Amino acid sequence: MSRISAYRNSYARLALGAMLIATPALATLDLRDYDDDLMRDLEKTIKYFEPDITAQNSQAAKEDAEVLLDGFRYTEDYFAKRGKDDAVAISRDGSRLIADVVAKVDKGEFDAAAASAREATQVCKTCHEIYKPRLAR
Ligand code: HEC
Protein backbone atom coordinates (compact mmCIF):
# COMPACT_ATOMS: atom_id res chain seq x y z
CA MET A 1 0.00 0.00 0.00
CA SER A 2 1.40 3.36 -0.84
CA ARG A 3 2.18 5.79 1.87
CA ILE A 4 0.53 8.52 -0.12
CA SER A 5 -2.87 6.84 -0.34
CA ALA A 6 -2.87 5.96 3.34
CA TYR A 7 -2.05 9.55 3.99
CA ARG A 8 -4.87 10.87 1.82
CA ASN A 9 -7.36 8.60 3.52
CA SER A 10 -6.56 9.68 6.98
CA TYR A 11 -5.36 12.68 8.76
CA ALA A 12 -5.18 14.81 5.69
CA ARG A 13 -4.91 18.34 6.96
CA LEU A 14 -2.62 18.48 9.92
CA ALA A 15 0.67 17.10 8.73
CA LEU A 16 0.67 18.09 5.09
CA GLY A 17 4.02 19.81 5.06
CA ALA A 18 5.58 17.13 7.18
CA MET A 19 4.45 14.29 4.98
CA LEU A 20 5.66 15.89 1.79
CA ILE A 21 9.21 15.83 3.05
CA ALA A 22 8.99 12.29 4.42
CA THR A 23 12.03 10.29 3.45
CA PRO A 24 12.40 6.52 3.28
CA ALA A 25 13.34 6.31 6.89
CA LEU A 26 13.13 2.69 7.89
CA ALA A 27 16.48 1.82 6.48
CA THR A 28 18.30 4.53 8.35
CA LEU A 29 16.64 4.68 11.77
CA ASP A 30 18.09 2.53 14.51
CA LEU A 31 15.28 1.89 16.98
CA ARG A 32 17.16 -0.20 19.51
CA ASP A 33 16.96 2.53 22.13
CA TYR A 34 13.30 3.33 21.42
CA ASP A 35 10.97 3.13 24.41
CA ASP A 36 8.58 0.31 23.51
CA ASP A 37 7.20 0.18 27.07
CA LEU A 38 6.05 3.75 26.74
CA MET A 39 4.40 2.90 23.42
CA ARG A 40 2.52 0.04 25.05
CA ASP A 41 1.36 2.42 27.81
CA LEU A 42 0.11 4.77 25.13
CA GLU A 43 -1.73 1.94 23.45
CA LYS A 44 -3.52 1.02 26.69
CA THR A 45 -4.29 4.63 27.48
CA ILE A 46 -5.66 5.62 24.12
CA LYS A 47 -8.14 2.74 24.29
CA TYR A 48 -9.71 4.34 27.36
CA PHE A 49 -9.37 7.91 26.22
CA GLU A 50 -12.43 8.31 24.04
CA PRO A 51 -14.68 6.14 26.27
CA ASP A 52 -13.63 8.21 29.29
CA ILE A 53 -14.53 11.38 27.41
CA THR A 54 -17.83 10.01 26.19
CA ALA A 55 -18.67 8.94 29.73
CA GLN A 56 -17.95 12.57 30.73
CA ASN A 57 -15.40 11.36 33.21
CA SER A 58 -13.27 14.49 33.12
CA GLN A 59 -10.84 13.34 35.76
CA ALA A 60 -10.02 10.08 34.00
CA ALA A 61 -9.86 11.79 30.61
CA LYS A 62 -7.34 14.27 31.95
CA GLU A 63 -5.20 11.52 33.43
CA ASP A 64 -5.24 9.77 30.06
CA ALA A 65 -4.32 13.07 28.42
CA GLU A 66 -1.27 13.43 30.64
CA VAL A 67 0.05 10.02 29.66
CA LEU A 68 -0.57 10.72 26.00
CA LEU A 69 1.07 14.13 26.18
CA ASP A 70 4.13 12.57 27.77
CA GLY A 71 4.19 10.10 24.92
CA PHE A 72 4.02 12.70 22.19
CA ARG A 73 6.69 14.75 23.96
CA TYR A 74 8.88 11.67 24.05
CA THR A 75 8.45 10.97 20.35
CA GLU A 76 9.00 14.64 19.49
CA ASP A 77 12.25 14.63 21.40
CA TYR A 78 13.38 11.22 20.13
CA PHE A 79 12.87 12.09 16.49
CA ALA A 80 14.21 15.63 16.87
CA LYS A 81 17.52 14.15 18.02
CA ARG A 82 17.59 12.09 14.84
CA GLY A 83 16.70 14.94 12.54
CA LYS A 84 13.37 13.46 11.46
CA ASP A 85 11.40 16.65 11.03
CA ASP A 86 8.30 14.90 9.70
CA ALA A 87 7.99 12.78 12.85
CA VAL A 88 8.59 15.84 15.01
CA ALA A 89 5.74 17.66 13.25
CA ILE A 90 3.48 14.62 13.64
CA SER A 91 4.29 14.46 17.36
CA ARG A 92 3.46 18.14 17.76
CA ASP A 93 0.13 17.59 16.05
CA GLY A 94 -0.51 14.89 18.62
CA SER A 95 0.32 17.17 21.55
CA ARG A 96 -1.84 19.90 20.09
CA LEU A 97 -4.81 17.57 19.76
CA ILE A 98 -4.46 16.29 23.30
CA ALA A 99 -4.29 19.86 24.63
CA ASP A 100 -7.37 20.58 22.57
CA VAL A 101 -9.19 17.63 24.14
CA VAL A 102 -8.36 18.86 27.63
CA ALA A 103 -9.57 22.38 26.82
CA LYS A 104 -12.83 21.00 25.47
CA VAL A 105 -13.35 18.66 28.40
CA ASP A 106 -12.85 21.65 30.70
CA LYS A 107 -15.60 23.47 28.85
CA GLY A 108 -17.90 20.46 29.00
CA GLU A 109 -17.79 20.04 25.22
CA PHE A 110 -17.50 16.28 25.33
CA ASP A 111 -18.58 15.53 21.76
CA ALA A 112 -16.01 17.88 20.32
CA ALA A 113 -13.41 16.50 22.72
CA ALA A 114 -14.16 12.95 21.56
CA ALA A 115 -13.68 14.01 17.95
CA SER A 116 -10.25 15.42 18.77
CA ALA A 117 -9.40 12.23 20.63
CA ARG A 118 -10.18 10.20 17.52
CA GLU A 119 -7.92 12.45 15.49
CA ALA A 120 -5.17 11.86 18.02
CA THR A 121 -5.45 8.13 17.34
CA GLN A 122 -4.82 8.89 13.68
CA VAL A 123 -1.63 10.68 14.65
CA CYS A 124 -0.23 7.45 16.12
CA LYS A 125 -1.04 5.65 12.90
CA THR A 126 0.46 8.34 10.73
CA CYS A 127 3.81 8.02 12.42
CA HIS A 128 3.70 4.22 12.45
CA GLU A 129 2.97 4.25 8.74
CA ILE A 130 6.31 5.90 8.16
CA TYR A 131 8.57 4.78 11.00
CA LYS A 132 7.31 1.61 12.63
CA PRO A 133 8.97 -1.40 11.06
CA ARG A 134 6.60 -4.05 9.82
CA LEU A 135 7.40 -7.70 10.31
CA ALA A 136 6.41 -8.75 6.83
CA ARG A 137 8.60 -7.10 4.25
C1 HEC B 1 6.38 10.19 15.89
C2 HEC B 1 6.27 8.75 15.80
C3 HEC B 1 5.34 7.95 16.66
C4 HEC B 1 4.19 8.37 17.29
C5 HEC B 1 3.58 9.76 17.33
C6 HEC B 1 3.66 7.20 17.94
N1 HEC B 1 4.45 6.12 17.74
FE1 HEC B 1 4.10 4.23 18.39
N2 HEC B 1 5.83 3.60 17.53
C7 HEC B 1 6.69 4.38 16.79
C8 HEC B 1 7.82 3.59 16.35
C9 HEC B 1 9.00 4.08 15.53
C10 HEC B 1 7.61 2.29 16.83
C11 HEC B 1 8.51 1.06 16.63
C12 HEC B 1 9.49 0.93 17.75
C13 HEC B 1 10.40 -0.29 17.62
O1 HEC B 1 10.28 -1.02 16.66
O2 HEC B 1 11.22 -0.49 18.53
C14 HEC B 1 6.35 2.33 17.57
C15 HEC B 1 5.79 1.24 18.21
C16 HEC B 1 4.57 1.24 18.84
C17 HEC B 1 3.97 0.07 19.47
C18 HEC B 1 4.60 -1.32 19.53
C19 HEC B 1 5.49 -1.40 20.75
C20 HEC B 1 6.09 -2.79 20.92
O3 HEC B 1 5.53 -3.57 21.67
O4 HEC B 1 7.12 -3.06 20.31
C21 HEC B 1 2.77 0.47 19.99
C22 HEC B 1 1.77 -0.39 20.74
C23 HEC B 1 2.62 1.89 19.71
N3 HEC B 1 3.74 2.32 19.01
C24 HEC B 1 1.54 2.67 20.09
C25 HEC B 1 1.43 4.04 19.85
C26 HEC B 1 0.27 4.85 20.21
C27 HEC B 1 -0.98 4.33 20.86
C28 HEC B 1 0.56 6.12 19.81
C29 HEC B 1 -0.30 7.36 19.92
C30 HEC B 1 -0.88 7.72 21.15
C31 HEC B 1 1.87 6.10 19.20
N4 HEC B 1 2.36 4.84 19.25
C32 HEC B 1 2.48 7.22 18.69
C33 HEC B 1 6.53 5.72 16.50
C34 HEC B 1 5.49 6.53 16.94
Side-chain angles (χ1 to χ4, degrees):
M1 178 179 65
S2 95
R3 188 178 293 163
I4 300 297
S5 69
Y7 165 53
R8 286 219 179 98
N9 291 342
S10 62
Y11 191 56
R13 288 145 301 147
L14 288 168
L16 179 64
M19 300 300 287
L20 292 175
I21 56 166
T23 48
L26 292 176
T28 58
L29 195 62
D30 178 356
L31 289 162
R32 269 175 300 187
D33 61 346
Y34 195 77
D35 192 343
D36 289 329
D37 287 341
L38 177 81
M39 285 285 129
R40 285 191 284 267
D41 277 351
L42 294 184
E43 179 84 5
K44 270 185 243 153
T45 305
I46 205 139
K47 282 202 186 110
Y48 293 114
F49 196 34
E50 201 191 328
D52 282 339
I53 295 164
T54 311
Q56 310 201 352
N57 188 341
S58 303
Q59 183 60 34
K62 283 193 208 174
E63 282 165 21
D64 300 337
E66 257 173 58
V67 175
L68 296 168
L69 259 186
D70 272 354
F72 285 124
R73 282 200 202 102
Y74 171 83
T75 58
E76 178 179 343
D77 185 57
Y78 182 96
F79 286 97
K81 285 188 180 129
R82 286 153 187 82
K84 305 295 184 192
D85 295 344
D86 53 349
V88 170
I90 291 167
S91 303
R92 286 188 186 145
D93 285 339
S95 295
R96 205 156 37 233
L97 282 166
I98 303 297
D100 189 47
V101 170
V102 172
K104 284 172 175 154
V105 163
D106 276 338
K107 285 191 260 169
E109 297 170 2
F110 293 101
D111 287 347
S116 294
R118 277 192 297 279
E119 274 192 73
T121 308
Q122 279 309 123
V123 173
C124 315
K125 292 190 183 133
T126 301
C127 188
H128 292 166
E129 196 62 42
I130 308 171
Y131 285 106
K132 187 160 163 272
R134 256 147 292 188
L135 293 175
R137 249 213 191 160

